[in-house]
Amino acid sequence: MELELKNVSKEFSGVHAVNHVSFSMKKGVYGLLGVNGAGKTTLMRMLCTLIRPTGGEILWNGKNILGLGADYRNILGYLPQDFGYYPDLSIYDYMMYIASIKGIRQGAARKRTKQLLGRVGLAKYEKRKMKTLSGGMARRVGIAQAMLNNPQILVLDEPTAGLDPNERIRFRNLISELSEDRLVLLSTHIVSDVEFIANQIMLMKNGRFFYAGTTEDLVSSMEESVWHCTVPKQSVNDFVGKYLVDNVKTVPGGAELRILSKVPPTKQAVREDATLEDAFLLYFGEKAGDKDDTEI
């Protein structure tokens, strides 16, 4: 089981949305992390054969996915950022409709639909119309439909967008459960979506991957340290202009700052453990442009 990107590019009107990306993925959860506009959705759509690369190729077990055609799509599950549905269909009828599109026989589709709705916690709501669902429930239906064909590759584009914290946690746990014996690629700009469930994280900016590794690898790659200090309120803007500030908390007599810096920002600053969110700020924050991002 291997999905390989070989020098993949996609241009729109002369602009590289994806710029010569090479990477190999096997079984497990891969988190594609980047700000909006980094090229994540374009890459996802190429992986799902919805658009063709301008250059390079995408291989599944050594064969070009465009040449595999239906054989490749049969092992693929996809949840786009905005997935469409007929609002007056019930959850059950929507699932059966998608199953028919995927060519799943009716008997098998009924059984699979019942199993999946139970797995995503929607079995007792199967008669509810799609238009009545909350954002979190709709996203759970979305992942259930992506799993109808028991895919070997599950592609999820911004799956927790717009969800409240409880639904986001539920969704992360569900994705972790579904990752057994398959390849899951999850794109997001929300650090917590991938911090604890991804086996590998790829950072993407300006259409390129410039770092890939585990959460621990990424955090340990930071040359900057994380510092906690308290400063007068009138000095906050000075610190924000000089340092990468992760957090500002107003307290009596001043403000507590969480700062990324190679040296202590004040004499009283205390070093703290770095997190993936700190690394995200370092690579994608206002001063990230000063760094030399090397393509992998």
Side-chain angles (χ1 to χ4, degrees):
M1 178 184 293
E2 183 179 29
L3 185 63
E4 186 178 7
L5 307 169
K6 296 186 71 174
N7 205 30
V8 174
S9 296
K10 182 63 181 179
E11 290 185 32
F12 295 102
S13 301
V15 177
H16 276 94
V18 175
N19 192 358
H20 300 288
V21 170
S22 295
F23 194 69
S24 177
M25 294 174 282
K26 298 184 179 181
K27 184 177 71 174
V29 180
Y30 294 80
L32 182 56
L33 193 58
V35 297
N36 291 331
K40 303 189 302 297
T41 294
T42 298
L43 181 60
M44 294 288 204
R45 289 172 63 82
M46 285 192 289
L47 288 170
C48 296
T49 70
L50 296 174
I51 56 176
R52 300 173 69 95
T54 305
E57 57 183 350
I58 303 172
L59 306 177
W60 172 245
N61 292 333
K63 297 180 180 180
N64 193 303
I65 62 172
L66 297 177
L68 290 171
D71 289 338
Y72 175 72
R73 288 187 288 274
N74 286 339
I75 55 95
L76 181 70
Y78 177 44
L79 175 60
Q81 187 170 353
D82 297 305
F83 74 98
Y85 53 80
Y86 291 107
D88 287 321
L89 287 182
S90 68
I91 294 175
Y92 179 83
D93 288 342
Y94 170 74
M95 290 286 290
M96 291 297 291
Y97 168 70
I98 296 297
S100 69
I101 292 176
K102 293 188 176 185
I104 303 173
R105 293 181 178 179
Q106 195 170 67
R110 289 196 191 100
K111 182 178 180 181
R112 184 70 174 157
T113 291
K114 292 285 187 180
Q115 290 175 339
L116 288 169
L117 292 183
R119 195 162 188 182
V120 299
L122 293 175
K124 63 182 179 180
Y125 302 108
E126 66 175 35
K127 294 183 178 180
R128 285 187 58 173
K129 290 187 175 182
M130 294 293 294
K131 66 182 179 183
T132 69
L133 303 183
S134 67
M137 293 176 74
R139 300 307 282 180
R140 279 187 269 158
V141 175
I143 197 167
Q145 64 82 25
M147 289 292 298
L148 273 167
N149 57 328
N150 194 24
Q152 295 181 55
I153 305 170
L154 183 59
V155 178
L156 308 171
D157 190 7
E158 299 280 357
T160 67
L163 300 190
D164 64 38
N166 287 333
E167 280 289 357
R168 187 170 289 125
I169 292 170
R170 180 201 291 268
F171 210 89
R172 285 202 304 267
N173 292 340
L174 177 61
I175 292 168
S176 184
E177 292 173 12
L178 294 175
S179 66
E180 187 176 0
D181 296 326
R182 61 174 50 88
L183 187 163
V184 179
L185 177 60
L186 184 161
S187 82
T188 185
H189 63 280
I190 303 170
V191 173
S192 59
D193 282 354
V194 296
E195 184 168 11
F196 300 110
I197 66 170
N199 301 105
Q200 282 217 69
I201 292 173
M202 298 89 76
L203 300 184
M204 189 173 192
K205 184 167 63 176
N206 298 328
R208 297 187 296 126
F209 287 4
F210 64 90
Y211 194 93
T214 65
T215 296
E216 293 77 13
D217 290 339
L218 182 55
V219 171
S220 64
S221 74
M222 296 170 54
E223 295 181 4
E224 282 78 355
S225 297
V226 181
W227 304 92
H228 177 273
C229 61
T230 301
V231 302
K233 287 183 181 179
Q234 61 269 25
S235 301
V236 170
N237 288 339
D238 292 336
F239 279 86
V240 170
K242 186 177 181 180
Y243 299 102
L244 282 170
V245 179
D246 202 341
N247 190 60
V248 179
K249 179 182 178 181
T250 300
V251 295
E256 292 181 354
L257 306 182
R258 183 179 173 88
I259 291 174
L260 274 63
S261 173
K262 293 181 180 179
V263 296
T266 69
K267 291 181 179 180
Q268 293 76 30
V270 178
R271 183 175 291 177
E272 295 190 341
D273 292 336
T275 66
L276 184 60
E277 191 166 301
D278 296 318
F280 185 88
L281 175 65
L282 178 62
Y283 289 113
F284 295 102
E286 292 182 357
K287 295 183 188 259
D290 297 335
K291 301 185 73 65
D292 181 15
D293 298 334
T294 303
E295 184 180 356
I296 62 170

